[in-house]
């Protein structure tokens, strides 16, 4: 017997409950799979996913969603353009707070990533110096008139980041007062993780050579695991938009910047 409620007159709440049930059964689903299963339009499904994500009933990801309980290891690496469309309000809140931590005369590392890119708009200190492995980040820092160094190495097209052994070697010569990092996953078991081993190497060096390291991560990154760990959970301060499970607060410092 088909468990779904079909037809154009399906109430939004009923349809959203069916989406949650589908994800609990299958763990993940694309927008198109949900369109086919519920006989709804793609625009309707996307609105439902956004609403359910905001209600913390599912996790919205690029092209679809996962159940809250899904703990799979993902080697997927969305492009900068894809990541830029996700959780933009949350990323902006995180970025603004992160930028407020920069003081005059700080020597700062800014990791590649969409949230770290957002924070450049909010930097007010003109006496600090900045090192980055993000191509777009360097351009934006220069446009802001800030002292900027971009490290050399291999360019990874999907993330527009400079990575690899040469980049890591160059970074190892610096000692930062603060580092602001991106991550693909945060887990008590796996720490902070990313899909690419060469990118992880660069991140590891940046964390080790910084006095204070901040990981900028919206709530969707918690309990997610990518293949390569670049730092243990206690190595970094997390800036996020929602209060995570208490188990994380027991292991590291967390700043929740959710709007009041």
């Amino acid at each position: 017997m088909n468990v779904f409620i079909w037809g154009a007159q399906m109430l939004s709440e009923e349809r959203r409950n069916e989406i949650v049930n589908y994800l609990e059964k299958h763990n993940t689903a694309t927008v198109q799979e949900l369109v086919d299963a519920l006989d709804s339009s793609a625009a309707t499904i996307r609105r439902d996913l956004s609403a359910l994500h905001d209600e913390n009933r599912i996790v919205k990801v690029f092209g679809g969603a996962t159940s809250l309980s899904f703990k799979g290891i993902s080697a997927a690496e969305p492009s900068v353009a894809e990541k830029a469309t996700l959780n933009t309000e949350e990323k902006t809140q995180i970025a603004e707070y992160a930028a407020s931590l920069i003081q005059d005369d700080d020597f700062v590392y800014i990791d590649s990533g969409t949230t770290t890119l957002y924070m450049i708009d909010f930097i007010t200190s003109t006496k600090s110096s900045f090192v980055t492995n993000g191509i777009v980040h360097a351009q934006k820092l220069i446009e802001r008139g800030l002292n900027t160094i971009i490290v050399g190495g291999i360019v990874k097209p999907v993330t527009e980041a400079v990575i690899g052994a040469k980049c890591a070697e160059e970074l190892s010569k610096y000692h930062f007062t603060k580092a602001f990092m991106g991550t693909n996953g945060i887990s008590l078991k796996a720490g902070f993780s990313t899909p690419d081993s060469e990118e992880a190497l660069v991140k590891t060096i940046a964390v080790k050579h910084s006095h204070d390291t901040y990981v900028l991560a919206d709530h969707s990154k918690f309990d997610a695991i990518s293949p390569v760990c670049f730092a243990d959970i206690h190595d970094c301060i997390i800036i996020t938009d929602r209060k995570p499970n208490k188990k994380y607060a027991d292991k590291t410092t967390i700043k929740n910047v959710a709007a009041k």
Side-chain angles (χ1 to χ4, degrees):
M1 180 178 177
N2 198 323
V3 298
F4 293 115
I5 302 172
W6 303 94
Q9 301 303 314
M10 179 188 290
L11 296 176
S12 62
E13 187 57 33
E14 293 173 325
R15 186 178 58 250
R16 290 171 185 175
N17 287 337
E18 294 298 342
I19 290 173
V20 174
N21 292 338
Y22 187 96
L23 290 171
E24 288 177 350
K25 180 179 180 181
H26 298 278
N27 288 323
T28 66
T30 65
V31 170
Q32 189 57 52
E33 286 172 342
L34 293 171
V35 166
D36 295 340
L38 278 72
D39 194 26
S40 298
S41 70
T44 296
I45 294 298
R46 289 192 183 95
R47 285 196 297 270
D48 288 341
L49 294 182
S50 294
L52 289 167
H53 180 90
D54 291 342
E55 294 169 6
N56 200 32
R57 296 177 66 189
I58 65 163
V59 177
K60 183 181 176 184
V61 298
F62 180 73
T66 73
S67 67
L68 289 177
S69 60
F70 181 58
K71 309 298 181 188
I73 297 175
S74 175
E77 183 70 83
S79 69
V80 172
E82 291 168 346
K83 289 189 285 189
T85 66
L86 300 175
N87 302 326
T88 55
E89 182 177 348
E90 293 93 332
K91 289 177 180 178
T92 300
Q93 292 173 353
I94 294 166
E96 184 173 6
Y97 177 80
S100 73
L101 300 175
I102 299 173
Q103 300 174 335
D104 285 349
D105 301 320
D106 267 337
F107 187 50
V108 179
Y109 179 74
I110 299 183
D111 189 25
S112 63
T114 52
T115 311
T116 53
L117 182 62
Y118 288 172
M119 71 178 285
I120 296 173
D121 287 330
F122 298 104
I123 294 173
T124 57
S125 173
T126 59
K127 296 181 180 180
S128 299
S129 294
F130 298 88
V131 178
T132 184
N133 71 325
I135 295 174
V136 179
H137 297 60
Q139 181 179 0
K140 200 167 188 178
L141 286 163
I142 293 167
E143 289 173 352
R144 293 288 316 279
L146 301 171
N147 299 322
T148 305
I149 300 170
I150 185 168
V151 288
I154 301 168
V155 177
K156 183 178 177 182
V158 69
T159 58
E160 300 177 3
V162 181
I163 62 172
K166 182 180 178 180
C167 179
E169 181 182 3
E170 187 173 338
L171 272 184
S172 68
K173 300 174 183 177
Y174 297 117
H175 296 278
F176 305 106
T177 57
K178 298 181 177 77
F180 297 91
M181 310 298 297
T183 189
N184 292 72
I186 304 174
S187 164
L188 291 179
K189 177 182 178 181
F192 302 98
S193 56
T194 191
D196 188 291
S197 59
E198 291 192 291
E199 193 156 10
L201 174 62
V202 173
K203 289 176 181 286
T204 297
I205 295 297
V207 171
K208 287 183 176 179
H209 285 252
S210 179
H211 185 273
D212 295 313
T213 301
Y214 302 89
V215 171
L216 281 54
D218 65 72
H219 58 273
S220 68
K221 304 296 179 66
F222 286 89
D223 293 334
I225 302 174
S226 284
V228 189
C229 171
F230 66 86
D232 291 333
I233 193 70
H234 55 75
D235 289 337
C236 309
I237 300 165
I238 302 172
I239 305 175
T240 189
D241 61 292
R242 288 187 194 171
K243 187 177 181 179
N245 190 299
K246 184 179 181 296
K247 61 185 180 180
Y248 284 100
D250 292 337
K251 297 295 183 180
T252 191
T253 301
I254 297 175
K255 174 61 182 178
N256 170 20
V257 297
K260 306 300 183 188

